[in-house]
Amino acid sequence: MGKKVEKIYDEKQIIYEIYRMRGLTIQQLCEVVFHSKGYAYKFLQRMKEFGWLQDRMDMKGKIRQAKVYFCTDQAIEMLEREGFINKSVKAKDNTPPRNKMKYTVLTNEVYAALMPFGIYVYDSREWKIKNKMDRNTLVRGGLQMFDGREMGLYLFFSSEQISGAGLSDSMLTRFKHEVKKFPQTNRIAVLCYDLKIYEKMVKVVDKELSTFNELLVIPMGKNGLGFNLLRISRSQIERKAQLETILNARLNESHPSLEGNKQNFAQYVADYGNHESYVVDFLSMNRPGLHHLATHYYRDAFEKDGRHVDLVCWKPNEKELIKKFQQYPHVNIISISSQEISDKYLPRLTTTKIKMKL
């Protein structure tokens, strides 16, 4: 799974990361910063002795889950003095209450999973300020992909993970209104931690939210599958290379035929030597792309153009797409399994020194 990332041991930057994410576990810090839990533990103990950190156990009933580290007032004052933050808040206002602890830990799993792959994760506070959003909005942060694209991040946990979590009708209505009011660079990623949540979100996005450049509805699945789908989507240059390997063809993103079609449904034209086809990338789980294909390249349009469509998708989406495009015989569905993603394409991603933003 990629090469080992070079770790950063700047204590003030580490304290800043804990501050901006509001609390991190040893495991999360090891994913992003440290080589080993042993070193991390010694470092965190030293920071506690400095008076910069405090900790609290994340509990599930009476069972200890993980120790979470938070910044003290002394640490926050240091960060303001050193220029990491412009306006400090009290530690009590930056520390999640006990009833929100599990939520904070699960949210920061996204941070730990994506940062080592060069995807910068904005805390919700940062993202809301950056996009001039209301404080009570549902957005849980933002992502800056490896190639610089930015998108809002929404997380919908299951009731098994957090009591009372899920996606109620009222929350779904809030989500629809929110993304229409605050389009956030016209790019949104939604991680769904339950199949029912995913299916519910897909129906609404397909019906009412098809105008976005990117609106990724991603099922978390098993073994961090959702993270893998985001990781391999971190760069459009890398995605082009992945698609060329999958299709065994040369892809052209500046083909004359794309001038009128690129914004509608196709990202590339594949050159197979003896024929060409349009390429639609659904490995990223971008739902509006399917809508654009269905509405802009129906049978009559195909008969005028003559090029088939290669629709590349994740294997579990294959049945859905076969049904959706059964009246589109010119659409070829090419699926990639979860195993291929984790074994073949993920290891090709290089990991780089983590860029801590000040």
Side-chain angles (χ1 to χ4, degrees):
M1 190 180 291
K3 298 177 182 177
K4 284 289 185 180
V5 68
E6 183 178 344
K7 306 293 184 175
I8 295 175
Y9 294 96
D10 184 315
E11 61 188 27
K12 293 175 182 177
Q13 285 193 321
I14 295 171
I15 296 298
Y16 172 64
E17 289 298 289
I18 294 173
Y19 164 82
R20 76 179 189 87
M21 301 312 295
R22 303 187 184 227
L24 293 168
T25 67
I26 285 184
Q27 184 60 43
Q28 289 166 349
L29 285 164
C30 285
E31 293 291 335
V32 178
V33 181
F34 298 106
H35 284 294
S36 68
K37 281 188 177 181
Y39 187 93
Y41 179 77
K42 291 177 183 178
F43 175 89
L44 294 168
Q45 283 298 111
R46 191 166 72 252
M47 293 300 100
K48 284 180 64 178
E49 292 169 5
F50 284 176
W52 284 358
L53 293 180
Q54 56 185 349
D55 60 50
R56 184 188 300 165
M57 291 301 302
D58 172 32
M59 305 290 291
K60 186 175 183 179
K62 295 183 179 181
I63 302 174
R64 295 183 175 187
Q65 298 290 299
K67 187 176 287 187
V68 187
Y69 290 85
F70 312 95
C71 288
T72 63
D73 284 327
Q74 188 176 334
I76 294 173
E77 290 168 5
M78 177 276 293
L79 293 174
E80 184 177 21
R81 190 168 58 249
E82 294 291 328
F84 284 84
I85 56 178
N86 294 322
K87 186 178 179 181
S88 64
V89 298
K90 291 292 184 182
K92 63 182 180 62
D93 297 322
N94 196 62
T95 303
R98 290 185 184 277
N99 64 344
K100 296 290 185 181
M101 184 74 68
K102 174 61 68 179
Y103 179 83
T104 298
V105 171
L106 287 174
T107 298
N108 289 345
E109 286 298 303
V110 180
Y111 164 88
L114 300 184
M115 286 283 286
F117 284 81
I119 302 174
Y120 182 81
V121 179
Y122 289 96
D123 165 64
S124 62
R125 173 176 47 193
E126 295 177 283
W127 187 253
K128 289 175 183 180
I129 292 173
K130 182 179 178 68
N131 289 275
K132 298 180 173 59
M133 300 177 71
D134 300 336
R135 291 183 61 185
N136 63 345
T137 47
L138 293 171
V139 70
R140 300 312 175 195
L143 304 176
Q144 184 182 87
M145 306 303 274
F146 192 73
D147 60 7
R149 288 173 298 140
E150 293 195 341
M151 58 185 67
L153 176 66
Y154 289 81
L155 307 174
F156 293 101
F157 298 112
S158 71
S159 57
E160 293 181 359
Q161 294 170 295
I162 303 175
S163 178
L167 183 59
S168 64
D169 291 341
S170 61
M171 185 175 291
L172 188 56
T173 298
R174 280 183 64 192
F175 169 79
K176 289 188 296 182
H177 291 162
E178 181 172 317
V179 297
K180 289 177 181 178
K181 183 179 179 180
F182 303 106
Q184 306 163 68
T185 73
N186 214 28
R187 291 186 169 94
I188 302 289
V190 183
L191 272 173
C192 304
Y193 287 74
D194 178 271
L195 182 58
K196 290 182 179 179
I197 293 173
Y198 169 74
E199 292 173 344
K200 197 171 184 179
M201 181 62 69
V202 161
K203 288 181 181 179
V204 167
V205 170
D206 287 355
K207 185 177 180 180
E208 302 182 44
L209 300 171
S210 61
T211 60
F212 281 78
N213 285 343
E214 291 182 85
L215 208 165
L216 321 181
V217 183
I218 302 174
M220 177 51 70
K222 297 180 180 179
N223 303 316
L225 169 71
F227 294 145
N228 285 347
L229 291 171
L230 277 170
R231 287 162 174 161
I232 66 169
S233 300
R234 68 180 191 170
S235 164
Q236 292 176 329
I237 293 175
E238 291 177 343
R239 173 50 54 83
K240 180 182 177 183
Q242 292 163 4
L243 292 171
E244 287 182 328
T245 300
I246 292 167
L247 299 172
N248 193 25
R250 183 176 63 85
L251 300 192
N252 189 338
E253 57 190 318
S254 57
H255 193 283
S257 297
L258 291 174
E259 292 180 5
N261 289 329
K262 188 170 184 180
Q263 296 305 318
N264 293 329
F265 69 89
Q267 293 83 41
Y268 308 99
V269 169
D271 182 356
Y272 290 95
N274 58 355
H275 72 280
E276 294 179 336
S277 66
Y278 290 115
V279 178
V280 175
D281 169 26
F282 191 56
L283 269 180
S284 63
M285 310 296 283
N286 182 30
R287 300 301 304 188
L290 298 181
H291 173 80
H292 299 330
L293 172 58
T295 56
H296 293 286
Y297 204 61
Y298 40 86
R299 190 186 297 239
D300 289 348
F302 161 66
E303 289 176 354
K304 291 179 182 179
D305 186 296
R307 293 181 180 85
H308 286 76
V309 175
D310 292 330
L311 174 55
V312 183
C313 71
W314 174 48
K315 185 71 174 177
N317 289 119
E318 188 175 23
K319 288 184 180 179
E320 173 204 349
L321 297 180
I322 289 174
K323 182 178 180 180
K324 186 178 184 70
F325 292 101
Q326 60 183 341
Q327 301 302 318
Y328 296 72
H330 53 285
V331 175
N332 307 314
I333 298 171
I334 301 166
S335 62
I336 304 300
S337 69
S338 303
Q339 198 69 39
E340 285 180 279
I341 290 173
S342 60
D343 291 352
K344 187 173 181 179
Y345 296 103
L346 200 61
R348 296 182 183 185
L349 300 183
T350 57
T351 52
T352 60
K353 181 182 289 190
I354 299 163
K355 297 177 181 178
M356 302 288 193
K357 295 193 171 187
L358 306 183

